[in-house]
Amino acid sequence: MPGENLSRDEARERAALLSVDGYEVSLDVRSATGDAQGEGPRTFRSVTTIRFRCNEPGASSFADLIAPSVTAVSLNGRDLDPSEVFDGSRIALEDLAADNELVVDAQCAYSRTGEGMHRFVDPEDGEVYLYTQYEPADSRRVFANFEQPDLKAPFRFEVRAPEEWTVWSNGAGERVDGVWRFAETKPISTYITCVVAGPYHYVTDSYERVSEDGTRLEIPLGALCRKGLAPHFDADDVFLITKQGLDFFHDHFDFPYPFGKYDQAFVPEYNLGAMENPGMVTFREEYIFRGKVTRASYEGRANTILHEMAHMWFGDLVTMEWWDDLWLKESFADFMGAFANVGATRFKDAWITFANRRKAWAYRADQLPSTHPITADIRDLEDAKLNFDGITYAKGASALKQLVAYVGQDAFLEGARRYFKRHAYGNTRLGDLLSVLEETSGRDMAAWSRSWLQTAGVNALTPQVLLDGAGTVDELAVVQEAAESHPELRPHRVAVGLYRRTAEGALERYARAEVDVEGPRTVVAELAGAEAPELVLVNDDDLTYCKTRFDDTSLATLREHLGALTDPLARALCWSALWNMTRDALLPARDFAELVLRFAGRESEIGVLQMLHAWTGSALVHYAAPDWRETGGRLLAEGALRELRDAAPGSEQQLAWARFFASVASGEADLALLRGLLEGTEKIDGLDVDQELRWVFLAPLASHGAADEGDLAAELVRDDTASGKRHQVRCLASRPSDVVKAQAWAQVVESDKLSNALVEATIAGFAQPSQRELLAPYTEKYFAAIERLWAERSIQIGMDVVRGLFPSLRDSRETLDATDAWLSAHRDAAPALRRLVLEARDDLARALRAQACDGAAAGR
């Protein structure tokens, strides 16, 4: 509908006209259980009262609502005809008074896509669970409102639900006369309101703190999940991280947690990692681990808990005015997640994970044709939805990490404290933050902002080493380069580390200098006269955001001695740099795979090891020359199996290598081993093949035709749960059959019956690297379908399908030409849709360049 895509100009015009005093929202979700209500979507009653002011009496505006039907609308006691004022996404409001009261009685639809009021039926026990998810603009699917972040207001919710259910919202609630009523919230934006309802398993705790002046703060804590996950729910660890985070942020922010209680709900079929609804944070339930996982998974969960907690201040207490400044909350939360993990929890190596995993996300996003400054130009809500990306999160966090080095941690945190106190419960722009940082640091923030926040692209830094006749450093310089498309050369505060091998063979740093890199070439005077290095690591200690390159000597050293690097962060940075070189067609994919086979077995950081496994799988699938893929797959499977057998029994390294082995297994002997491990006829000492690992082993069996529909049905009987169903759907779609592919395509593209989670699972199974020829007919079908699909489906499902079904495995010039032809013929397609196709095209072109690089290495 044309009115669904609210523009920035419309939002600014409405914000200049209106201010909102409060909402009263009454929902009746008793219809969530029982039989469907006949034809059409299953709906619930939503009655909303909005009290608001208009500074130009007599003016016109509109409220937002996406609903199948509206029963009644009244404005200032005057009944309006819904058929005349409601067009499916907006309610026209004319002749406004200075003070207004709008009442809207609507039938809103339950969601199967994770947007709005999502309804989930647990296949294990038939129980129904509800939760809401709104960002950036889906609260209008649940109640009428002014759907933009700068029209904040207090909210009062009441909910009628089945008798046996519990209901939660942002404020504390109680059931009175069969109705759940919730305390009024502080002024907050519509997109962070929340309702969770159903027979959830609920655990409670509390957090207490006494400040220096004797003030006592007590925060009730809660954690909930589906009943079927209760046996796996380690709520004690969730509460531990929560309390550590609350201590950390209170110590550093000097602003008490402002939203009363702190509940955390782990919910099914969730599209995101988590959402910062104040007082009622929601997480994807995959953070409850059904089987054995590595320490990296627990660290990732802790990071997400702390990320969302940071949002209580950055995003909820102080909110961006419009989505242009989304970074004001997401970059800060991403930075604070790692900062608090290191400072408050057992995960002291979280900056290594940040350098290795989060920044890889940013580097990819920042080299796409859709790259944008951290402070982006967000024209409308579709733009906003697509900008929850690696630039807004991880590049922004990287820029903040450098900002801390630039202004000092104390000045940075004092700036944050002033920012909260000055703008509490309000909305801000970039300049509001920069002004307080200038106050606290004495630095010119405008120049820093222009270079880091208002330009796009990633710089590459390469060392140049000149030795004198005595074999010592005569001159060491850092050369900075930028892409032609984004030529900005930024100021970088970097550490340059020099490494040599010791007598025992360890590769260790013996000299380090910090320097401000400016322009195309910067001399590091402090390192002149140092012994000749075997390895020069630019951006040692990961102070800046850049692609690190190596001189010839350093690269040769890494080829032979990468595993001898004793510092885990330096090692992670070298791996990251080598991966970027592989993606940039500067290092053949087979060389990267060889490095992993030689040195990954010695990697002590489990998160780095798992990232290496993911990168190596991508290298084989996308960046290896086609005629080397079979050989490469065999070598990786042999190496993974060797490391699996050599790993300490029961260790997390053993588990990681088992998962990687399954991901590259394709030969008859490898598949037979996986089958034997499933059936118990094969054993590997210490390897516990739990239910999650069983599905991991079944996936390659299904995709290579070694497990049929009966095998997968039998496994579902063993694991008749929501998780088991997702695994089974993925495996079913992965089978090597024309009929299977046609069925999977029809279920996703021609029908909207599947929930968001099962759409995701079907897409994941559909495209298998071993089935490139089977996928040949779907290139043409893809381009014929995507514009219609984008118009008919929700934006979340549209994004999933357009990204997930792009024919990336048909990696040829013909596919690139077909993509270009579609882009040329559809210049007027929705900008968000074109952006997704352009990004996929760029990934494909990058893959073809890398394949050419790898193919050229074959004759060495």
Side-chain angles (χ1 to χ4, degrees):
M1 299 176 184
E4 287 190 26
N5 192 21
L6 179 73
S7 73
R8 177 177 52 203
D9 291 343
E10 289 176 313
R12 285 176 176 170
E13 181 179 339
R14 186 163 63 176
L17 184 68
L18 307 180
S19 54
V20 187
D21 296 316
Y23 287 84
E24 294 177 7
V25 180
S26 177
L27 306 176
D28 188 342
V29 296
R30 289 174 293 183
S31 57
T33 60
D35 295 332
Q37 304 149 309
E39 296 297 321
R42 184 187 289 258
T43 61
F44 58 94
R45 189 182 183 193
S46 170
V47 180
T48 306
T49 301
I50 313 175
R51 296 180 306 281
F52 64 100
R53 284 166 285 135
C54 175
N55 60 25
E56 295 180 15
S60 299
S61 189
F62 61 92
D64 301 295
L65 177 68
I66 298 176
S69 65
V70 171
T71 306
V73 179
S74 72
L75 177 63
N76 300 328
R78 183 174 79 254
D79 290 337
L80 306 179
D81 184 344
S83 66
E84 294 181 359
V85 299
F86 178 59
D87 65 1
S89 62
R90 295 183 179 186
I91 299 170
L93 306 175
E94 297 182 353
D95 193 21
L96 292 172
D99 294 287
N100 301 273
E101 182 177 272
L102 173 68
V103 181
V104 179
D105 187 345
Q107 289 293 317
C108 295
Y110 295 104
S111 168
R112 301 279 326 274
T113 67
E115 301 154 295
M117 179 72 77
H118 188 77
R119 177 179 179 271
F120 173 78
V121 181
D122 193 334
E124 189 172 0
D125 55 18
E127 296 280 18
V128 175
Y129 294 88
L130 303 179
Y131 64 86
T132 59
Q133 170 56 38
Y134 299 147
E135 192 173 41
D138 285 319
S139 64
R140 55 192 171 153
R141 298 181 186 275
V142 176
F143 60 94
N145 58 56
F146 300 115
E147 186 79 284
Q148 58 190 78
D150 59 343
L151 287 178
K152 285 184 163 183
F155 287 80
R156 283 188 182 274
F157 283 91
E158 67 173 36
V159 181
R160 290 166 176 79
E163 184 69 27
E164 64 277 12
W165 281 17
T166 306
V167 183
W168 294 264
S169 187
N170 302 89
E174 61 177 342
R175 191 169 197 156
V176 179
D177 298 329
V179 181
W180 287 90
R181 292 189 169 88
F182 297 92
E184 184 174 75
T185 71
K186 299 287 189 180
I188 58 176
S189 302
T190 53
Y191 76 91
I192 50 176
T193 59
C194 184
V195 171
V196 176
Y200 284 91
H201 170 72
Y202 185 52
V203 186
T204 61
D205 202 337
S206 65
Y207 170 82
E208 296 183 4
R209 179 184 180 87
V210 179
S211 63
E212 291 182 359
D213 64 1
T215 303
R216 186 180 190 83
L217 175 67
E218 182 172 354
I219 303 173
L221 305 179
L224 53 151
C225 68
R226 289 186 296 112
K227 290 190 295 185
L229 284 175
H232 308 287
F233 192 22
D234 52 341
D236 287 347
D237 192 54
V238 170
F239 287 138
L240 172 64
I241 300 296
T242 301
K243 293 175 184 180
Q244 290 171 330
L246 288 169
D247 273 340
F248 185 85
F249 291 129
H250 280 107
D251 288 344
H252 287 82
F253 290 168
D254 191 32
F255 195 110
Y257 171 72
F259 297 112
K261 70 179 179 70
Y262 199 83
D263 283 323
Q264 297 174 95
F266 295 80
V267 298
E269 298 191 324
Y270 203 53
N271 288 323
L272 312 177
M275 183 64 208
E276 67 266 19
N277 315 303
M280 185 70 255
V281 183
T282 42
F283 298 82
R284 64 186 301 115
E285 68 178 17
E286 285 78 5
Y287 281 122
I288 298 174
F289 307 120
R290 299 197 315 149
K292 182 179 179 180
V293 296
T294 68
R295 177 183 171 88
S297 294
Y298 290 99
E299 181 189 321
R301 182 175 70 183
N303 186 284
T304 303
I305 289 171
L306 296 169
H307 175 118
E308 303 309 322
M309 188 180 293
H311 273 313
M312 300 300 118
W313 291 268
F314 284 107
D316 294 358
L317 176 67
V318 184
T319 311
M320 69 276 158
E321 189 173 289
W322 176 250
W323 301 100
D324 292 350
D325 282 313
L326 175 63
W327 81 280
L328 279 172
K329 72 184 187 77
E330 294 302 348
S331 298
F332 273 88
D334 218 47
F335 171 80
M336 286 293 171
F339 185 54
N341 233 356
V342 171
T345 78
R346 63 188 184 271
F347 302 109
K348 302 304 181 186
D349 293 328
W351 284 124
I352 296 177
T353 305
F354 180 83
N356 193 245
R357 182 179 296 269
R358 298 299 284 180
K359 290 179 84 168
W361 181 29
Y363 293 142
R364 176 189 175 271
D366 212 7
Q367 296 173 87
L368 291 169
S370 58
T371 187
H372 55 85
I374 295 170
T375 54
D377 179 24
I378 304 298
R379 298 162 296 183
D380 53 40
L381 290 176
E382 287 194 358
D383 275 359
K385 183 74 171 178
L386 268 64
N387 264 44
F388 288 82
D389 60 12
I391 296 171
T392 301
Y393 284 70
K395 182 181 179 180
S398 300
L400 291 176
K401 190 169 187 276
Q402 186 181 82
L403 177 62
V404 172
Y406 177 59
V407 304
Q409 182 173 304
D410 290 344
F412 175 77
L413 290 172
E414 176 59 25
R417 289 188 282 269
R418 295 187 189 184
Y419 180 70
F420 299 143
K421 290 170 184 174
R422 195 168 297 174
H423 301 289
Y425 307 110
N427 296 87
T428 57
R429 295 182 179 181
L430 167 65
D432 298 308
L433 177 69
L434 297 182
S435 65
V436 295
L437 289 173
E438 285 190 351
E439 291 172 17
T440 59
S441 70
R443 297 268 195 167
D444 176 10
M445 297 306 303
W448 178 86
S449 173
R450 281 193 299 272
S451 291
W452 281 102
L453 303 181
Q454 295 167 287
T455 61
V458 56
N459 300 136
L461 302 183
T462 307
Q464 279 186 349
V465 184
L466 299 177
L467 302 179
D468 60 22
T472 58
V473 175
D474 182 52
E475 182 181 86
L476 193 153
V478 177
V479 175
Q480 180 176 193
E481 298 173 288
E484 289 184 12
S485 57
H486 298 91
E488 176 83 11
L489 296 181
R490 298 184 180 86
H492 296 266
R493 182 69 177 177
V494 301
V496 179
L498 306 186
Y499 291 76
R500 289 182 65 88
R501 280 173 293 153
T502 66
E504 293 77 24
L507 188 57
E508 296 187 345
R509 187 171 69 192
Y510 65 92
R512 177 187 184 275
E514 286 195 21
V515 64
D516 291 314
V517 172
E518 300 273 359
R521 191 173 188 272
T522 303
V523 174
V524 189
E526 188 178 333
L527 294 177
E531 286 186 63
E534 294 181 80
L535 168 67
V536 180
L537 182 55
V538 176
N539 198 29
D540 208 352
D541 298 323
D542 197 37
L543 299 184
T544 194
Y545 170 83
C546 69
K547 290 194 292 188
T548 299
R549 302 299 197 206
F550 300 108
D551 64 308
D552 291 343
T553 299
S554 297
L555 185 57
T557 297
L558 290 175
R559 287 183 185 273
E560 297 300 325
H561 306 292
L562 196 160
L565 260 174
T566 55
D567 181 78
L569 178 56
R571 211 167 48 241
L573 292 171
C574 288
W575 279 120
S576 176
L578 291 166
W579 175 240
N580 277 320
M581 291 174 65
T582 305
R583 294 188 72 248
D584 291 346
L586 299 175
L587 182 73
R590 66 190 69 195
D591 289 10
F592 184 82
E594 181 186 359
L595 287 165
V596 170
L597 289 174
R598 289 185 63 189
F599 299 121
R602 299 166 63 179
E603 180 54 60
S604 60
E605 295 297 315
I606 191 64
V608 173
L609 177 62
Q610 290 177 281
M611 198 74 240
L612 289 176
H613 289 161
W615 288 343
T616 308
S618 292
L620 179 66
V621 171
H622 297 295
Y623 302 149
D627 59 5
W628 187 78
R629 287 176 186 149
E630 184 176 349
T631 299
R634 176 178 53 79
L635 291 172
L636 289 174
E638 290 172 355
L641 183 56
R642 182 171 60 251
E643 296 291 350
L644 168 59
R645 295 192 185 279
D646 289 346
S651 66
E652 54 187 3
Q653 278 78 10
Q654 184 187 54
L655 177 61
W657 283 108
R659 289 175 171 271
F660 182 55
F661 170 68
S663 73
V664 294
S666 60
E668 186 175 334
D670 296 337
L671 298 175
L673 174 59
L674 292 175
R675 172 67 75 178
L677 289 169
L678 285 170
E679 295 176 349
T681 58
E682 295 277 2
K683 296 285 185 183
I684 294 176
D685 187 25
L687 185 66
D688 177 19
V689 185
D690 59 30
Q691 185 57 62
E692 285 296 294
L693 197 55
R694 289 184 64 85
W695 285 113
V696 170
F697 289 172
L698 266 170
L701 293 174
S703 65
H704 290 284
D708 60 19
E709 188 172 1
D711 294 319
L712 300 175
E715 197 65 30
L716 185 62
V717 171
R718 288 179 59 109
D719 185 25
D720 192 11
T721 65
S723 298
K725 182 62 176 177
R726 290 195 298 272
H727 287 309
Q728 187 218 22
V729 166
R730 186 187 71 253
C731 289
L732 285 171
S734 74
R735 292 171 295 155
S737 158
D738 289 329
V739 173
V740 165
K741 299 306 172 189
Q743 182 182 37
W745 179 270
Q747 288 173 333
V748 169
V749 176
E750 306 303 334
S751 169
D752 63 357
K753 301 300 184 186
L754 294 180
S755 70
N756 56 321
L758 296 186
V759 166
E760 182 182 342
T762 304
I763 290 172
F766 178 81
Q768 296 297 312
S770 59
Q771 301 168 6
R772 295 172 193 263
E773 293 307 314
L774 270 179
L775 301 174
Y778 293 96
T779 299
E780 184 178 348
K781 292 180 179 180
Y782 171 87
F783 289 114
I786 55 174
E787 192 167 28
R788 170 187 59 79
L789 188 142
W790 188 262
E792 294 176 354
R793 305 292 181 87
S794 73
I795 188 169
Q796 181 64 51
I797 296 299
M799 289 166 57
D800 290 344
V801 176
V802 173
R803 282 176 172 154
L805 292 181
F806 181 83
S808 59
L809 292 176
R810 300 294 301 166
D811 43 1
S812 65
R813 183 70 232 184
E814 289 74 18
T815 304
L816 205 61
D817 290 343
T819 309
D820 290 339
W822 186 90
L823 288 166
S824 178
H826 295 81
R827 297 184 187 278
D828 295 329
L833 172 58
R834 284 183 56 84
R835 170 177 168 168
L836 292 172
V837 176
L838 280 165
E839 289 176 348
R841 185 215 183 271
D842 191 74
D843 281 337
L844 177 58
R846 177 180 292 273
L848 294 176
R849 292 193 298 271
Q851 289 172 24
C853 170
D854 190 60
R860 292 179 310 189

